[in-house]
Amino acid sequence: MSNLTNQTMQSRRRFLENISRAAGGAALFGLGLGIYSQSSKSLPADAIRPPGVSNEVDFLSACVRCGLCVRDCPYDTLKLAMLGDKVALGTPYFNSRDIPCEMCEDIPCIKACPTGALDPSLTHIDDARMGLAVLIDQEACIAFQGLRCEVCYNVCPVRDKAITIEYSHNKRTGKHALFIPVVHSSDCTGCGKCEHACILDEAAIKVLPIKLAKGEMGQHYRLGWEEKRRAGESLVTPDTQHQYNLPQGSRYDYEGEGLITPSQTTPFEKSALERLNEGKL
Amino acid sequence: MVAMAKNAGQDSIAQKGWLLAHKWLLLRRFSQLSILLLFLVGPWFDVWFVKGSMSSSLFLQTLSLSDPFVFLQSIFAGHYPEFTVLSGALIVAVFYFIVGGRVYCSWVCPINIVTDIADGLRRVLNIKTAFNFSRSTRYGLLIAVLLLASITGTLVWELVNPVTMIQRELVFTMGLSWIVIGGIFILDAFISRRAWCGHLCPMGAFYSVLGRYSLIKINAQNRANCNDCMDCYAICPEPQVIKPALKGSGSPLINSGNCTNCARCIDVCAKDVFTMKHRYVYSKTITSQNEVHT
């Protein structure tokens, strides 16, 4: 009888030992994996997700790493992250300096995705926001040196909306214009054709994940002129007609000029020093 | 009577001939390699029977199939699935629920080839190691994997899962996953017997649970003929599942979900003790013949 109890005790002990070994191992493993997963949530700056990914965390919960989007990409733009890449293992991405997104109108990568990790509600490729082009190095960009280039502007599939050319004065020569490419986040899809086409050895314009590229104003900011336009009138004290009794023809500028009299643009015709020398202070 | 593990299956070969004594093994290898090949003829010859990888694939441009374990992780991570992946995972899950969950492990998963070779090497070189993981480690890992998915909101296990990694990299481009294949081989061959597939893999654990009540089971139908040669134990990747069926007084059905239905026991048994049939008929006939009540 005591032998039997001993046996059951032993088997019970073995069972508990087994279970605790398994649980301990699993917990330790889970801890390591959990920490690793946190570090792998950050996407390297040169890795751009395919269209239809609005948020990296949501994407990583949905993507089953099957590679169907990569298979159906007609331009071999998309790559699967392999072991050793810095992108989460098995997930699709592209590097726009290598092969940019051609912005297919039928968006085959989204059609291929079985899980909805690439959002199927994105049907118009111009609405894609894969990343955001940033003219990141104004020292290297030759447009800032006063040279004509505009290659990024010319290859842009959403030209004149996503990239415009803004003219400004060339201070170095004093008589020429600078033709500066300016990216607008309202229309840039992040396809990367600009970065791919940049003529420099290392691109001055780069597509970055939106999270890296965009700043964000605090929610409490209210731009007076925007609010005024939206509401049709000023929301704070309305502009009132000037009520001071000013000399005839004079007016008062609220935006910093101060009192403006019509007769003279400067209060004195000569400088203070000259007047002092003439003894006519 | 107890034979060396090295000689497991010799009696059977002498009895049935080499080919019949390897029938199920050859069928399994054929199944594993042809599934892999189906994925590979696409990128190799531009003939797309199957596109994607074993995590999710498109069969003949119409039928979408998905791995239910990866799908489950995605659900735990908080993703609301599209119908495509939902139906694909359901079809696959129902299939394995019927044929046996771990049929995935022994008839589909290419890593099984690696771990089988590692175990074969152990038998040939007579490698003995004392260290063993607990067989329930995999269930601990399975729970940990699913919990972590819901805590972190990402498919955490898929960041390191060697099974899907190797399957994917075999079909796409091979990254450093050769190292992982090598690692699993070394682990199984020189550190601990059947460590990966039989003790650690949470994917296998998932399929064990899925196939616990599967229709198709191995049956120690003619257990009365057993001559205790121990060959089936030596060859079985989950030897603990055999004893209750072979030596117990209850049902001769190998009921454990851990049985992979690899049918190597059928191959190596010179006495034709085992068969693979569906679970109901044989438990009934045995009961009526031998008056064994289950």
Side-chain angles (χ1 to χ4, degrees), chain A residues 21 41 61 71-72 83 115, chain B residues 51 79 132 152-153 169 171:
Chain A
R21 260 168 73 185
K41 263 186 197 171
S61 78
R71 280 280 185 251
D72 279 357
L83 190 64
T115 65
Chain B
K51 214 183 250 184
H79 174 66
N132 267 324
T152 59
E169 298 205 357
V171 175

Side-chain angles (χ1 to χ4, degrees), chain B residues 4-40:
Chain B
M4 291 261 293
K6 187 178 177 173
N7 300 325
Q10 290 301 325
D11 290 354
S12 169
I13 293 172
Q15 186 98 19
K16 306 187 247 187
W18 192 92
L19 208 62
L20 274 179
H22 292 84
K23 182 177 97 181
W24 289 100
L25 179 67
L26 293 173
L27 281 174
R28 269 181 344 135
R29 291 290 176 260
F30 177 75
S31 153
Q32 287 164 325
L33 293 175
S34 42
I35 288 169
L36 198 59
L37 207 66
L38 272 182
F39 279 98
L40 282 171

Side-chain angles (χ1 to χ4, degrees), chain B residues 113-186:
Chain B
I113 303 176
V114 177
T115 59
D116 272 359
I117 292 172
D119 194 56
L121 191 74
R122 284 179 79 92
R123 268 181 276 120
V124 170
L125 300 181
N126 202 22
I127 300 169
K128 296 243 186 304
T129 50
F131 176 70
N132 267 324
F133 294 97
S134 158
R135 290 238 178 224
S136 24
T137 309
R138 50 186 155 187
Y139 294 106
L141 290 185
L142 176 61
I143 293 167
V145 161
L146 294 179
L147 275 181
L148 272 175
S150 66
I151 292 169
T152 59
T154 72
L155 277 73
V156 171
W157 180 239
E158 294 309 308
L159 294 173
V160 293
N161 187 354
V163 179
T164 48
M165 176 202 307
I166 290 166
Q167 290 170 354
R168 187 172 47 241
E169 298 205 357
L170 279 171
V171 175
F172 286 83
T173 43
M174 209 66 187
L176 297 174
S177 56
W178 283 112
I179 298 173
V180 179
I181 296 180
I184 288 178
F185 183 81
I186 289 167

Side-chain angles (χ1 to χ4, degrees), chain A residues 32 79 93 97 146 195:
Chain A
K79 296 184 278 194
Y93 72 101
R97 187 66 167 167
E195 179 179 350

Side-chain angles (χ1 to χ4, degrees), chain B residues 16-291:
Chain B
K16 306 187 247 187
W18 192 92
L19 208 62
L20 274 179
H22 292 84
K23 182 177 97 181
W24 289 100
L25 179 67
L26 293 173
L27 281 174
R28 269 181 344 135
R29 291 290 176 260
F30 177 75
S31 153
Q32 287 164 325
L33 293 175
S34 42
I35 288 169
L36 198 59
L37 207 66
L38 272 182
F39 279 98
L40 282 171
V41 291
W44 284 355
F45 306 112
D46 208 26
V47 182
W48 297 96
F49 293 113
V50 188
K51 214 183 250 184
S53 70
M54 288 182 203
S55 298
S56 191
S57 59
L58 190 62
F59 185 65
L60 293 176
Q61 297 294 331
T62 44
L63 182 63
S64 181
L65 298 172
S66 290
D67 186 285
F69 175 60
V70 181
F71 172 74
L72 192 68
Q73 290 179 64
S74 149
I75 297 291
F76 269 77
H79 174 66
Y80 189 80
E82 283 290 303
F83 176 75
T84 318
V85 72
L86 181 71
S87 62
L90 211 63
I91 292 168
V92 174
V94 166
F95 173 76
Y96 286 117
F97 182 80
I98 292 168
V99 302
R102 294 202 66 196
V103 161
Y104 172 79
C105 303
S106 58
W107 290 77
V108 178
C109 183
I111 297 187
N112 169 266
I113 303 176
V114 177
T115 59
D116 272 359
I117 292 172
D119 194 56
L121 191 74
R122 284 179 79 92
R123 268 181 276 120
V124 170
L125 300 181
N126 202 22
I127 300 169
K128 296 243 186 304
T129 50
F131 176 70
N132 267 324
F133 294 97
S134 158
R135 290 238 178 224
S136 24
T137 309
R138 50 186 155 187
Y139 294 106
L141 290 185
L142 176 61
I143 293 167
V145 161
L146 294 179
L147 275 181
L148 272 175
S150 66
I151 292 169
T152 59
T154 72
L155 277 73
V156 171
W157 180 239
E158 294 309 308
L159 294 173
V160 293
N161 187 354
V163 179
T164 48
M165 176 202 307
I166 290 166
Q167 290 170 354
R168 187 172 47 241
E169 298 205 357
L170 279 171
V171 175
F172 286 83
T173 43
M174 209 66 187
L176 297 174
S177 56
W178 283 112
I179 298 173
V180 179
I181 296 180
I184 288 178
F185 183 81
I186 289 167
L187 174 72
D188 269 31
F190 304 111
I191 299 173
S192 178
R193 178 170 189 249
R194 294 281 183 190
W196 180 255
C197 300
H199 298 78
L200 298 177
C201 179
M203 205 153 173
F206 168 81
Y207 280 104
S208 289
V209 176
L210 182 62
R212 173 63 185 81
Y213 298 102
S214 68
L215 185 65
I216 294 177
K217 292 277 182 192
I218 302 286
N219 196 326
Q221 187 188 1
N222 303 317
R223 61 186 173 191
N225 295 344
C226 175
N227 63 355
D228 295 330
C229 72
M230 304 292 280
D231 281 1
C232 54
Y233 290 98
I235 209 88
C236 180
E238 306 274 349
Q240 80 283 2
V241 306
I242 297 179
K243 200 177 165 191
L246 187 61
K247 294 296 161 192
S249 54
S251 160
L253 216 58
I254 293 182
N255 241 330
S256 166
N258 287 333
C259 172
T260 67
N261 280 1
C262 74
R264 274 298 275 159
C265 52
I266 304 179
D267 274 351
V268 299
C269 184
K271 298 289 173 190
D272 289 332
V273 168
F274 300 97
T275 53
M276 176 159 45
K277 288 282 155 60
H278 72 78
R279 62 190 298 158
Y280 298 109
V281 168
Y282 278 85
S283 55
K284 266 182 204 154
T285 48
I286 287 289
T287 321
S288 57
Q289 277 171 8
N290 303 353
E291 310 223 335

Side-chain angles (χ1 to χ4, degrees), chain A residues 67-90:
Chain A
L68 279 165
C69 54
V70 175
R71 280 280 185 251
D72 279 357
C73 177
Y75 299 96
D76 291 335
T77 300
L78 290 177
K79 296 184 278 194
L80 269 191
M82 295 295 154
L83 190 64
D85 291 343
K86 289 195 181 95
V87 182
L89 185 67

